[in-house]
Amino acid sequence: MDMAGRPLSAWLTWLETLSPAEITMGLERVTAVLDRLQLELPQCVFHVAGTNGKGSSVAMLAALLRGAGMSVGCYTSPHVREFNERIRLNGSDASDEAIVAAFERVEAAREDVPLSYFEYGTLAALVEFSASDLDAAILEVGMGGRLDAVNAVEPTAGLITNIALDHCNWLGNDIETIAREKAGIMRADKPVVYGSKDMPASIADRADATGARLVAAGRDFDWSVDGNRWSWRGSGRELRDLQLPSLPGRHQISNAAAVLALCEAAGFGELLDVDSVDRALGAIRLDGRMQSIESDPRWLLDVAHNPAAAEALAEMLRNNPAEGSTVAVIGLLDDKDVEGVVEPLVGIVDEWIAVAADSARAIPANELARQVANRSNAACLVADSIADGVDRASAIAADADRILVTGSFYVVGPVLAGLYSPRTS
């Protein structure tokens, strides 16, 4: 199809038709097109993989590097409200025009190579980064690591935030198997940080096999929390009495600690002093990550879509109880562990409303409601749409109550789009 002169919205609609599978694993296609593009990427490239906390870690790393005067590009997925969020240059979303120009270049280079939506977006981000005279690019791995499109790019250093059960249909049914897939971002003689103190054996095994320089939490770096302050120890420096990161949830401290270790391991340790870290990590805001919108009732939106993320959400909710009841609007994709996501929220959520997420892989609302009701031992209403779920929650909740929206980017995003005014720039 001739896409010349078409707007971004038309491109995105067309990209959804390119591949019959929404998720297509493998590097051959991306590598072939990347070779044809002959891009000059930044000298410093970071990979960020893991199960949870990738988006937060990318934002923290970018803030630290930009605070030191570096020009930084970030590629993340999925987006919350608009595709432009996936490609960011020095803190700003890429423009429609820039993304369309990148798409046009990818299309000209791909010839007969079939690409998925994600692969096309990854290549477009790399085209934009190549044209932007960046000091560093931070690339979030979409799924797994070994066969993810991002892994076609040679990194300077990598971060694996943590490993939990998620995307089991593609990555494996146990922690060690999933960890081996995510450890596929490792490279010989390149540092890779593992950010959780609970490290699967296959992470160390893969580091030994590849010759990667593993920097492990609890061994090569550590952190401690004292009330509303925290401290960090790396291999060559120590920072005391730091402010807590602005992103809510105590789990963000471990994310921050791993990012500091990544900076140090990649040769940017001189950026790390108390003032610069406090300044960078104290000003980050991310849509859909335990995001609170103050109103009557109050809204809380979080993209938790696996048991580990739901545990972190539940901890935050317990530490910040609602004055009244909590009404949850929940939607999940069909490869998710419904019981594992619902379990931590039982006893916190007072009323449930099931919706179908805005994805072809969504669990139908009536089936999700059945599973939620079985696990929570409470009634779960069925909404006809996400908008209907929001309307039902708003009708149920009193001013002192809290409305929780969770389970997927494909639920939180549409709700935020309705609560916020559309982007105009």
Side-chain angles (χ1 to χ4, degrees):
M1 180 182 294
D2 183 9
M3 296 299 294
R6 304 294 293 275
L8 178 58
S9 58
W11 274 92
L12 296 177
T13 299
W14 178 65
L15 292 184
E16 292 174 349
T17 71
L18 287 184
S19 174
E22 185 178 353
I23 297 172
T24 307
M25 307 294 280
L27 298 180
E28 298 84 0
R29 297 171 301 277
V30 170
T31 299
V33 180
L34 192 57
D35 288 344
R36 294 173 187 171
L37 287 166
Q38 293 293 297
L39 303 176
E40 293 188 14
L41 295 175
Q43 186 173 8
C44 185
V45 175
F46 295 94
H47 284 171
V48 178
T51 302
N52 295 310
K54 291 180 293 184
S56 300
S57 298
V58 168
M60 290 179 184
L61 178 57
L64 285 165
L65 298 180
R66 290 184 60 223
M70 296 176 66
S71 179
V72 181
C74 298
Y75 174 58
T76 59
S77 66
H79 57 275
V80 178
R81 287 188 285 157
E82 293 185 307
F83 185 90
N84 308 62
E85 300 164 24
R86 298 184 180 217
I87 305 173
R88 290 177 62 80
L89 300 167
N90 293 317
S92 298
D93 296 350
S95 68
D96 287 8
E97 294 76 17
I99 297 172
V100 167
F103 281 162
E104 289 174 345
R105 189 169 173 191
V106 173
E107 180 60 16
R110 81 175 181 97
E111 299 176 1
D112 60 345
V113 177
L115 296 173
S116 70
Y117 183 102
F118 178 77
E119 291 167 337
Y120 214 111
T122 301
L123 288 165
L126 297 176
V127 167
E128 180 66 6
F129 293 164
S130 176
S132 300
D133 192 26
L134 300 175
D135 298 309
I138 308 171
L139 309 178
E140 178 187 337
V141 175
M143 182 188 296
R146 182 175 63 94
L147 298 177
D148 187 87
V150 163
N151 205 32
V153 179
E154 186 68 17
T156 304
L159 166 63
I160 302 173
T161 57
N162 50 64
I163 306 293
L165 292 174
D166 197 11
H167 298 301
C168 295
N169 291 351
W170 289 274
L171 302 181
N173 293 317
D174 61 85
I175 293 294
E176 293 294 344
T177 301
I178 293 172
R180 276 191 291 273
E181 287 296 317
K182 294 185 184 293
I185 67 167
M186 293 182 181
R187 301 293 200 278
D189 298 322
K190 303 285 183 69
V192 61
V193 173
Y194 188 77
S196 170
K197 294 180 182 179
D198 184 13
M199 185 173 72
S202 52
I203 294 291
D205 292 344
R206 180 64 180 170
D208 289 342
T210 60
R213 293 190 280 122
L214 179 62
V215 180
R219 183 190 72 186
D220 303 304
F221 71 98
D222 210 340
W223 64 93
S224 61
V225 182
D226 183 9
N228 289 323
R229 312 292 289 187
W230 71 292
S231 298
W232 176 84
R233 171 190 62 78
S235 62
R237 66 194 65 236
E238 187 170 357
L239 304 177
R240 294 183 177 275
D241 200 32
L242 293 160
Q243 298 175 10
L244 296 181
S246 60
L247 293 174
R250 288 292 173 130
H251 62 289
Q252 296 293 1
I253 299 172
S254 62
N255 289 335
V259 167
L260 297 185
L262 179 61
C263 284
E264 184 180 50
F268 296 102
E270 71 277 3
L271 305 183
L272 306 180
D273 60 69
V274 171
D275 289 342
S276 63
V277 171
D278 281 349
R279 187 164 51 250
L281 304 190
I284 300 171
R285 302 291 183 271
L286 280 179
D287 279 349
R289 277 73 165 190
M290 298 188 186
Q291 179 182 4
S292 181
I293 298 177
E294 296 301 327
S295 61
D296 296 320
R298 183 162 63 96
W299 292 79
L300 182 69
L301 303 103
D302 189 71
V303 295
H305 54 269
N306 56 57
E311 288 280 2
L313 172 60
E315 179 184 21
M316 194 278 288
L317 293 172
R318 283 193 296 269
N319 291 336
N320 299 274
E323 183 179 343
S325 299
T326 296
V327 180
V329 178
I330 185 171
L332 289 159
L333 301 187
D334 60 11
D335 64 331
K336 303 305 178 184
D337 177 2
V338 176
E339 182 173 324
V341 171
V342 171
E343 166 73 25
L345 300 173
V346 173
I348 299 173
V349 172
D350 299 287
E351 301 194 55
W352 296 90
I353 301 171
V355 301
D358 187 17
S359 167
R361 295 188 290 124
I363 300 175
N366 57 350
E367 170 58 21
L368 178 58
R370 183 188 67 79
Q371 295 188 48
V372 170
N374 284 345
R375 180 60 201 91
S376 65
N377 197 30
C380 180
L381 298 177
V382 178
D384 293 334
S385 65
I386 293 175
D388 181 44
V390 168
D391 288 344
R392 286 175 175 241
S394 299
I396 291 170
D399 286 352
D401 295 341
R402 170 172 58 194
I403 299 175
L404 169 67
V405 181
T406 192
S408 176
F409 282 89
Y410 301 100
V411 175
V412 171
V415 173
L416 276 175
L419 294 175
Y420 280 159
S421 299
R423 185 176 62 89
T424 57
S425 59

